[in-house]
């Protein structure tokens, strides 16, 4: 499977899966709000966030092991692959026990994480244990073998399995919720489907990759290399985890479950977009890793400029759509009583934009094993975000939480990763000034696009789903016209459009 076909297929399947992960939770979330109340949305978000923090012990191992696997996979060294998988399996078992232990220790402190009381008829300890089981079970049920999908550039298979199980999960949850109106039953479906996903994945992996087993022993130097890369990947994941998970915990502890639920109704849109961009990351990472092994740095730099141009164009497009449509969507979906002020919309767009600026940069650092060199960047960013959160949430409330994330992204993560990118990956490459100017120009053009589209489209009054769809279509058309006009001379973007044109022509 060639690179273009692999990327296209991976992104296509990923987008199909993302469509399902956006629409199905949307339906489920709507029913929860209508049947049980906004605080139940906040409660689910809180437990998910707590367990994401506790799962930080795993973050980074997948990326580190992926990097180590690229070379033996490319050279068809099955014994080395099996030894790495065996080591990965042992580590996953240890991580599972660690997360289980720490999660249980957290039980007595759950009350302190909810400011405005617990919903009636809910035992938060029982519910929390259900979420613990869902988090831990994968570490003991073949999750470590899923890495074979990624490193063999068969991300499409992993997505197909996830999408199928996801549909089954949400259909079952919605039916049970409508029949029983019981949040316990709704929640129990989640770990059951996680088990099913892992079992199906294991069966397919054994059929597609029959020569791979978790056996063999790695040399000490190879283990040290994995652990070293894990440190860098672990640190890089802290920032993204902290930005959402700690934010949710702080909002719940200081502002309460109702505010958390309303905020998460807004964040749901941004989260959906982030998962779409994660598909792009996951699809191109193994390709970049393979290129880093097989080709020279000049080819890699040209690939970066090409990918980054298309990526930032998509980021700007999403920012404009959110800026114009956010309040209309929330009004139609949840009602006027659930709306937050427009300041929150502005900050959410800034949050999304600032976080995506380093997207392709970090993917390249992960795929080439250089992320270790920037291991302290996300740690400093996470510490700054948490410190500002605690200070600003008391003075300006919810807005302070988002401002903290934007500041730490723009003033710590972005300059830090650019520094590592050119110091350790593209050494002596004159493109640093090019990249900085590109990002500045991108920001200026985005601001112009946002204000123009908002000014023009605010004359359309939305009262229902039909009006929202009409306004959304106009927003998509106008935003693309404006972005193409402002960025017409960008050579990287021209290459992207040429590639898309060729792909479409082949399909036709």
């Amino acid at each position: 499977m060639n690179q273009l076909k692999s990327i296209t297929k991976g992104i296509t399947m990923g987008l199909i899966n993302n469509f399902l992960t956006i629409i199905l939770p949307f339906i489920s979330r709507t029913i929860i709000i209508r049947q049980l109340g906004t605080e139940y949305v906040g409660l689910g978000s809180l437990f998910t966030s707590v367990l994401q923090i506790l799962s930080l012990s795993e973050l980074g191992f997948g990326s580190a092991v992926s990097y180590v696997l690229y070379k033996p996979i490319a050279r068809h060294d099955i014994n080395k692959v099996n030894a790495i998988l065996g080591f990965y399996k042992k580590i996953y078992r240890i991580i599972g026990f660690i997360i289980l232990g720490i999660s249980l220790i957290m039980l007595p402190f759950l009350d302190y994480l909810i400011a405005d009381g617990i919903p009636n008829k809910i035992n938060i300890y029982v519910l929390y244990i259900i979420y613990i089981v869902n988090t831990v079970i994968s570490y003991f049920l073949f999750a470590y073998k899923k890495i074979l999908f990624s490193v063999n550039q068969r991300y499409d298979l992993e997505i197909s399995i996830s999408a199928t199980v996801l549909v089954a999960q949400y259909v079952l949850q919605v039916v049970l919720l409508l029949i029983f109106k019981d949040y316990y039953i709704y929640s129990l479906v989640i770990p059951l489907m996680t088990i099913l996903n892992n079992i199906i994945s294991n069966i397919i992996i054994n059929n597609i990759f029959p020569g791979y087993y978790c056996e063999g022993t790695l040399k000490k130097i190879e283990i040290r290399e994995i652990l070293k890369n894990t440190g860098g990947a672990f640190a890089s994941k802290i920032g993204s985890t902290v930005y959402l998970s700690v934010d949710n915990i702080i909002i719940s502890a200081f502002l309460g479950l109702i505010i958390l639920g309303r905020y998460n109704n807004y964040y749901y849109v941004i989260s959906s977009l982030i998962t779409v961009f994660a598909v792009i990351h996951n699809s191109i990472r193994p390709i970049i890793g393979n290129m880093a092994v097989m080709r020279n740095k000049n080819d890699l730099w040209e690939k970066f400029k090409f990918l980054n141009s298309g990526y930032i164009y998509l980021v700007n497009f999403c920012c404009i759509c959110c800026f114009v449509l956010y309040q209309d969507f929330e009004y139609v979906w949840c009602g006027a009583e659930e709306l937050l002020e427009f300041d929150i919309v502005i900050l959410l767009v800034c949050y999304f934009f600032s976080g995506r600026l380093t997207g392709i940069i970090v993917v390249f650092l992960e795929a080439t094993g250089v992320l270790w060199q920037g291991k302290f960047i996300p740690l400093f960013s996470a510490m700054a975000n948490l410190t500002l959160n605690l200070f600003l949430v008391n003075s300006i409330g919810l807005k302070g939480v988002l401002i903290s994330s934007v500041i730490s992204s723009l003033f710590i993560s972005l300059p830090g990763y650019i520094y590592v990118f050119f110091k350790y990956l593209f050494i002596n490459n004159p493109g640093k000034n090019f990249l900085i100017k590109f990002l500045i120009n991108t920001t200026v053009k985005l601001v112009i696009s946002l204000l123009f589209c908002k000014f023009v489209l605010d004359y359309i009054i939305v009262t229902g789903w039909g009006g929202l769809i009409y306004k959304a279509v106009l927003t998509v058309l106008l935003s693309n016209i404006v972005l193409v006009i402002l960025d017409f001379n960008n050579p990287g973007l021209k290459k992207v459009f040429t590639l898309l044109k060729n792909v479409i022509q082949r399909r036709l």
Side-chain angles (χ1 to χ4, degrees):
M1 186 180 294
N2 60 50
Q3 290 185 357
L4 177 59
K5 186 175 180 181
S6 179
I7 292 175
T8 303
K9 192 170 183 178
I11 291 178
T12 300
M13 292 304 302
L15 290 177
I16 293 172
N17 180 65
N18 277 139
F19 176 77
L20 295 174
T21 59
I22 292 169
I23 295 300
L24 295 177
F26 171 77
I27 296 171
S28 173
R29 199 181 191 94
T30 303
I31 294 173
I32 290 175
I33 293 171
R34 300 284 190 271
Q35 298 286 337
L36 302 176
T38 304
E39 63 267 36
Y40 282 85
V41 174
L43 192 61
S45 300
L46 172 63
F47 287 157
T48 300
S49 298
V50 170
L51 290 167
Q52 281 178 337
I53 293 293
L54 296 179
S55 298
L56 278 174
S57 54
E58 183 272 341
L59 291 173
F61 241 96
S63 297
V65 173
S66 294
Y67 169 68
V68 175
L69 279 170
Y70 289 139
K71 187 176 291 186
I73 288 285
R75 295 178 177 178
H76 305 288
D77 188 346
I78 295 178
N79 291 332
K80 177 60 67 64
V81 172
N82 288 342
I84 294 172
L85 288 176
F87 176 71
Y88 194 30
K89 176 180 178 180
K90 292 176 185 176
I91 293 296
Y92 248 45
R93 295 282 171 88
I94 294 171
I95 290 171
F97 282 116
I98 291 173
I99 294 175
L100 177 61
I102 298 175
S103 300
L104 293 176
I105 291 172
M106 283 288 297
L107 271 171
F109 304 100
L110 291 182
D111 285 343
Y112 297 100
L113 300 179
I114 303 174
D116 56 352
I118 301 165
N120 294 329
K121 299 179 182 179
I122 278 289
N123 185 320
I124 59 171
Y125 302 102
V126 173
L127 197 60
Y128 180 64
I129 289 172
I130 294 173
Y131 276 78
I132 291 174
V133 171
N134 180 60
T135 300
V136 170
I137 195 69
S138 289
Y139 293 99
F140 302 99
L141 279 179
F142 320 118
Y144 44 84
K145 295 177 89 171
K146 290 183 180 181
I147 200 169
L148 289 172
F149 286 131
S150 174
V151 296
N152 284 283
Q153 300 177 24
R154 294 310 309 269
Y155 183 61
D156 56 301
L157 285 176
E158 183 177 2
I159 289 297
S160 299
I161 298 167
S162 296
T164 303
V165 175
L166 193 71
V167 171
Q169 174 184 320
Y170 279 105
V171 169
L172 185 58
Q173 281 183 309
V174 167
V175 170
L176 292 175
L177 190 60
L178 289 172
I179 294 174
F180 297 103
K181 297 181 175 61
D182 190 307
Y183 197 67
Y184 293 122
I185 296 175
Y186 173 90
S187 300
L188 277 170
V189 175
I190 303 174
L192 292 176
M193 289 301 172
T194 298
I195 293 171
L196 181 63
N197 188 322
N198 282 280
I199 291 174
I200 293 174
S201 296
N202 183 58
I203 293 171
I204 292 177
I205 287 170
N206 289 339
N207 288 329
I208 300 296
F209 310 114
Y212 295 133
Y213 304 96
C214 298
E215 60 184 19
T217 304
L218 290 176
K219 299 176 183 178
K220 290 184 179 180
I221 190 172
E222 293 171 328
I223 293 176
R224 282 199 297 268
E225 181 182 4
I226 292 176
L227 295 177
K228 177 182 176 181
N229 289 320
T230 297
F234 166 78
S236 75
K237 299 296 183 183
I238 288 180
S240 59
T241 303
V242 166
Y243 286 155
L244 174 59
S245 301
V246 170
D247 286 357
N248 280 345
I249 293 170
I250 287 177
I251 292 169
S252 175
F254 286 86
L255 304 176
L257 286 178
I258 293 178
I259 296 297
L260 176 60
R262 288 175 182 168
Y263 168 72
N264 270 275
N265 288 340
Y266 276 74
Y267 190 85
Y268 176 77
V269 176
I270 296 295
S271 176
S272 300
L273 292 175
I274 290 174
T275 60
V276 171
F277 281 87
V279 171
I280 300 174
H281 298 174
N282 293 332
S283 298
I284 65 177
R285 189 182 294 112
I287 307 297
I288 296 167
N290 184 264
M291 282 189 64
V293 173
M294 308 300 291
R295 300 188 187 181
N296 60 50
K297 287 292 177 67
N298 288 333
D299 289 339
L300 205 60
W301 171 245
E302 291 302 316
K303 181 71 74 174
F304 167 77
K305 290 195 296 182
F306 165 72
L307 291 172
N308 195 55
S309 293
Y311 184 90
I312 294 298
Y313 182 92
L314 287 176
V315 170
N316 288 348
F317 166 70
C318 292
C319 286
I320 295 171
C321 291
C322 287
F323 195 73
V324 174
L325 298 170
Y326 231 130
Q327 289 292 69
D328 293 320
F329 173 75
E330 295 294 335
Y331 172 77
V332 174
W333 178 28
C334 299
E337 67 279 0
E338 298 293 329
L339 291 180
L340 299 171
E341 60 257 48
F342 190 69
D343 290 352
I344 299 298
V345 172
I346 295 173
L347 289 171
L348 278 168
V349 171
C350 292
Y351 167 92
F352 175 75
F353 178 71
S354 61
R356 288 329 94 201
L357 285 177
T358 56
I360 294 296
I361 294 174
V362 171
V363 170
F364 267 72
L365 295 177
E366 286 178 337
T368 55
V370 182
L371 204 56
W372 166 257
Q373 309 298 340
K375 57 185 176 296
F376 293 118
I377 296 170
L379 294 176
F380 289 140
S381 183
M383 289 171 59
N385 182 50
L386 179 57
T387 302
L388 288 170
N389 266 340
L390 293 172
F391 176 73
L392 293 176
V393 72
N394 281 317
S395 56
I396 55 176
L398 185 57
K399 285 182 278 190
V401 175
L402 286 167
I403 290 171
S404 303
S405 298
V406 173
I407 290 174
S408 55
S409 288
L410 288 179
F411 295 100
I412 298 178
S413 297
L414 179 60
Y417 282 125
I418 290 176
Y419 172 79
V420 172
F421 190 69
F422 287 102
K423 183 173 177 61
Y424 298 102
L425 180 55
F426 292 107
I427 304 168
N428 299 322
N429 188 301
K432 185 174 183 180
N433 290 333
F434 158 80
L435 181 58
I436 293 173
K437 289 179 181 178
F438 173 80
L439 294 176
I440 293 173
N441 290 335
T442 292
T443 304
V444 173
K445 291 171 184 175
L446 175 61
V447 172
I448 295 171
S449 304
L450 288 174
L451 295 177
F452 178 78
C453 292
K454 179 70 173 172
F455 174 77
V456 172
L457 295 166
D458 258 6
Y459 288 100
I460 300 174
I461 305 301
V462 173
T463 56
W465 288 108
L468 180 63
I469 293 171
Y470 172 71
K471 188 172 181 178
V473 171
L474 293 180
T475 303
V476 169
L477 293 174
L478 182 61
S479 59
N480 276 290
I481 292 170
V482 173
L483 287 174
V484 169
I485 291 173
L486 291 176
D487 219 18
F488 185 74
N489 291 324
N490 182 346
L493 193 59
K494 288 181 179 179
K495 290 182 181 179
V496 173
F497 285 138
T498 301
L499 176 63
L500 289 175
K501 180 181 177 181
N502 292 336
V503 171
I504 293 171
Q505 287 177 343
R506 287 176 195 169
R507 298 283 182 185
L508 296 176

